[in-house]
Amino acid sequence: MTILVTGATGNVGRHVVEQLLGKGHRVRALSRTPQLATLPAEVEVVGGDLTKPETLGAAFDGVSGVHLTTYNGSEAPLTTGPELAELVEKAGVRRVTVLWSGQEGSVERAVRGGTAAWTLIQPGEFMSNSLAWAEAVRVDGVVREPYPQALNATIHEGDVAAVIALALTEDGHEARTYRLSGPQALTVPQKIAALGAALGRELRYVELTDEQARERWRSSGVSAEAIEMLAAWHSNPPPEGYTVVPTVAEVTGRPARTYAAWAAEHVERFR
């Protein structure tokens, strides 16, 4: 079977592609810039834009499963859910997974009302967000972040992909919403300590004030609305942000990977 993966060059999407290939499935990857996609040679890369459904007809031809993201490279969620669901139905797609972005949008609503078997994937924060620290760690071994007491049960992006790959290729995941977390709730200083242990050297944590954090987000081009959302989430995380759930183990049959394991896998990015 051929499975279409949108967001295939992202942190989770790359793992989805690799795991589907490992299971022996044909993979078609959607990219707005297919000439720049660096994916395995056996992947069929096609051009298209989720915000422009008229560009997607060929991408859906002959696929039995589709993995959809709900953003398309911007802060704004997709509003083209009904058009995407129509493409899914016309193509006779059997299974659809949707990777949410923190709030329900048009894609989730449209897929739930469609004919294909759907699975909604709701992960917490990705461990790969720590890659934002890589340059600072390489330069001076210091990580500057706010809210040192806030707990977060971050999840390995490969574990998210493992759940997606199973939902796209096996029965038993229909009409399910999977909330995913890592196996531990950790603070930023605890993550930094784990990263330092992987590197074999001590890293230093410098606490930013709330205003310093907001200024950093502003200077990075983050919108005022998104800044308020980030500040609220990190300063007073909702329970779903730090509650450990066993979903990865229940679906895949193996425990979710720890942050220490993620750090060991990515240690060269921080040297």
Side-chain angles (χ1 to χ4, degrees):
M1 65 175 74
T2 298
I3 298 174
L4 173 65
V5 179
T6 69
T9 59
N11 289 328
V12 172
R14 287 185 180 276
H15 283 278
V16 175
V17 168
E18 291 170 3
Q19 296 196 35
L20 290 172
L21 290 175
K23 292 175 178 291
H25 300 289
R26 293 188 296 274
V27 178
R28 181 178 298 160
L30 181 74
S31 174
R32 288 171 296 161
T33 54
Q35 70 279 9
L36 300 179
T38 54
L39 294 168
E42 58 267 45
V43 176
E44 178 192 0
V45 182
V46 298
D49 188 329
L50 292 176
T51 67
K52 301 174 181 177
E54 67 275 11
T55 68
L56 301 173
F60 281 77
D61 286 347
V63 298
S64 59
V66 175
H67 172 61
L68 292 172
T69 58
T70 55
Y71 276 62
N72 198 41
S74 72
E75 292 181 16
L78 291 169
T79 60
T80 52
E83 293 88 344
L84 296 176
E86 184 178 354
L87 287 168
V88 165
E89 185 167 353
K90 285 183 177 178
V93 173
R94 291 179 55 205
R95 299 186 181 104
V96 179
T97 56
V98 179
L99 180 65
W100 86 324
S101 56
Q103 57 185 355
E104 182 177 283
S106 74
V107 178
E108 294 94 324
R109 289 192 293 270
V111 165
R112 277 205 305 262
T115 57
W118 54 265
T119 309
L120 304 185
I121 310 296
Q122 298 183 350
E125 182 180 339
F126 300 144
M127 293 178 182
S128 58
N129 286 356
S130 297
L131 291 171
W133 302 338
E135 183 177 359
V137 169
R138 289 194 300 266
V139 172
D140 58 11
V142 176
V143 176
R144 298 170 176 83
E145 289 289 339
Y147 318 122
Q149 302 308 314
L151 287 166
N152 200 315
T154 52
I155 184 167
H156 194 302
E157 53 275 13
D159 288 339
V160 180
V163 173
I164 291 169
L166 287 170
L168 286 170
T169 58
E170 296 182 357
D171 293 330
H173 307 284
E174 302 85 359
R176 301 290 299 275
T177 297
Y178 287 137
R179 189 161 69 84
L180 309 179
S181 80
Q184 304 162 289
L186 301 174
T187 64
V188 167
Q190 287 173 327
K191 294 175 191 174
I192 293 168
L195 184 55
L199 285 164
R201 64 188 178 99
E202 187 174 350
L203 302 179
R204 192 160 60 92
Y205 168 65
V206 173
E207 180 183 352
L208 297 181
T209 66
D210 181 77
E211 183 49 43
Q212 286 172 327
R214 289 169 181 268
E215 179 55 35
R216 185 165 70 178
W217 290 325
R218 278 193 291 269
S219 65
S220 299
V222 180
S223 70
E225 181 181 2
I227 287 173
E228 292 304 317
M229 181 182 71
L230 286 168
W233 176 273
H234 290 292
S235 62
N236 186 26
E240 58 265 28
Y242 55 79
T243 301
V244 173
V245 293
T247 316
V248 170
E250 291 172 349
V251 175
T252 68
R254 59 165 180 75
R257 283 170 277 190
T258 64
Y259 186 85
W262 180 92
E265 290 174 21
H266 295 82
V267 68
E268 293 305 322
R269 300 284 295 275
F270 296 87
R271 289 201 190 282

